[in-house]
Amino acid sequence: MGAHRPARPAGTNTLETAADALVDLLTALARRQHEHRSVTVSRLTTVTGSGLLPTDLHEMGLYYLAKAHRDLGDSAASRQGMQAVADGGGRLAPAARRGLAHLARLAGDFPTAYDTARTLGWAGRQHRIEGDILWPHGAMDRTAAAYAAARDQAERHGVAGERATSQAQRALVLAFTDPYTADDELHLTEQLLAGLDLRATGFTVQIAALVRDAGTLPGLETARALRAEIRDTGITAAEAVLELALAFHHAVQGEQDKVRAVIHRLRELARGGDYAYYTDIAHFMGGIPLTAPSTAQWIHGADTVRARWRSLVTTRRQHLNLQL
């Protein structure tokens, strides 16, 4: 297979051979779970710009570069990379189409994201992506079923990382609905994660534990430490979900001023346009009217989504016998 060689200014390529480029590619992929995503972007930009890799490996670099851009909140660069890999039709094309569905979801274009997700099949991890789209809508039963289907399908295919990730997401959504069930789901998740190096999924587990305990958290030191750890990785999505967990806790406690503080932090995270619907959800949880028109295109309608998230708060209050 021939090398992919884009035009490149003279003197900017520090790699000299395909073997050099391959070593750097594998190094970047091995270290990405342990470094800030900006470092991953720098490494993979050099590799993919070298023109030294055969097409299949070049597309692998492009795909993981696009994922790192998405984690950093640079959706335009991520979309460009994902589209290039999808158009290439290679081995990672289904994963790239999944990436495009994720990007539509982050932009709040849920109808497009869902329509794309339903075409992905196992190769594109259809069930997990459907769950990722449904849970912001507060449809927790349907979401949990989608993640269970994704987990079981991954088990049949022998893909341990996908199995653990889907189970972690299932534990997160059930933590909003039933703390007791969440205990069992988190225990299973920890078993499935044993021996795997999945940092983002580890964050999901820790956030799910906070959601499980929402309304009863004695202090927020754990959440603050987790926020700092997440920021060290540059994974914007994990930080946004953490803030949503805190909004849930404060809404259950009836602490509207603290919910508003979370909304402010979420707005900061959404300055690039993505994740803006998280601020909507925080408003819904706290029973706080939106102060600006929403950019989210909800599949089930904003009123339905608002009612679902508010119901999760009132149900937790009843569970804890809180009279507010």
Side-chain angles (χ1 to χ4, degrees), residues 18-250:
D20 292 338
L22 177 59
V23 168
D24 276 21
L25 172 64
L26 296 178
T27 298
L29 298 185
R31 293 181 179 177
R32 71 190 184 92
Q33 297 287 356
H34 308 283
E35 295 179 328
H36 194 278
R37 288 301 194 264
S38 61
V39 178
T40 304
V41 165
S42 178
R43 292 181 186 277
L44 291 177
T45 297
T46 298
V47 170
T48 57
S50 71
L52 294 169
L53 290 173
T55 300
D56 56 343
L57 292 176
H58 175 76
E59 290 184 348
M60 179 183 292
L62 279 182
Y63 172 72
Y64 283 100
L65 175 58
K67 285 190 69 175
H69 277 304
R70 186 182 72 209
D71 286 341
L72 290 169
D74 188 353
S75 290
S78 182
R79 188 173 292 105
Q80 181 179 6
M82 290 294 182
Q83 192 65 62
V85 177
D87 291 345
R91 183 175 59 85
L92 286 172
R97 288 193 289 272
R98 175 176 76 238
L100 292 170
H102 275 308
L103 290 164
R105 171 179 60 84
L106 295 182
D109 185 356
F110 292 108
T112 295
Y114 194 63
D115 287 346
T116 301
R118 296 180 70 183
T119 69
L120 294 175
W122 157 249
R125 309 299 190 257
Q126 175 174 334
H127 292 306
R128 176 162 60 86
I129 306 311
E130 288 175 346
D132 290 346
I133 294 162
L134 289 171
W135 87 260
H137 289 76
M140 297 312 192
D141 290 342
R142 287 182 62 194
T143 303
Y147 285 136
R151 177 200 63 204
D152 295 347
Q153 193 173 45
E155 184 169 6
R156 289 194 297 272
H157 284 83
V159 183
E162 178 65 22
R163 180 181 63 171
T165 296
S166 298
Q167 173 59 28
Q169 290 296 129
R170 175 176 165 84
L172 174 64
V173 299
L174 290 176
F176 281 103
T177 64
D178 186 345
Y180 298 123
T181 299
D183 270 336
D184 294 336
E185 298 292 338
L186 282 167
H187 180 65
L188 175 58
T189 305
E190 288 165 357
Q191 290 180 317
L192 297 182
L193 274 172
L196 300 177
D197 189 11
L198 298 172
R199 197 168 188 187
T201 301
F203 291 149
T204 301
V205 173
Q206 294 178 73
I207 296 168
L210 292 173
V211 174
R212 175 198 61 195
D213 298 335
T216 65
L217 296 172
L220 298 180
E221 293 80 6
T222 299
R224 294 188 188 101
L226 181 56
R227 182 189 293 123
E229 186 180 355
I230 291 171
R231 285 178 177 173
D232 283 344
T233 67
I235 303 177
T236 306
E239 188 173 354
V241 177
L242 172 61
E243 295 298 345
L244 209 61
L246 293 175
F248 185 56
H249 168 70
H250 293 310

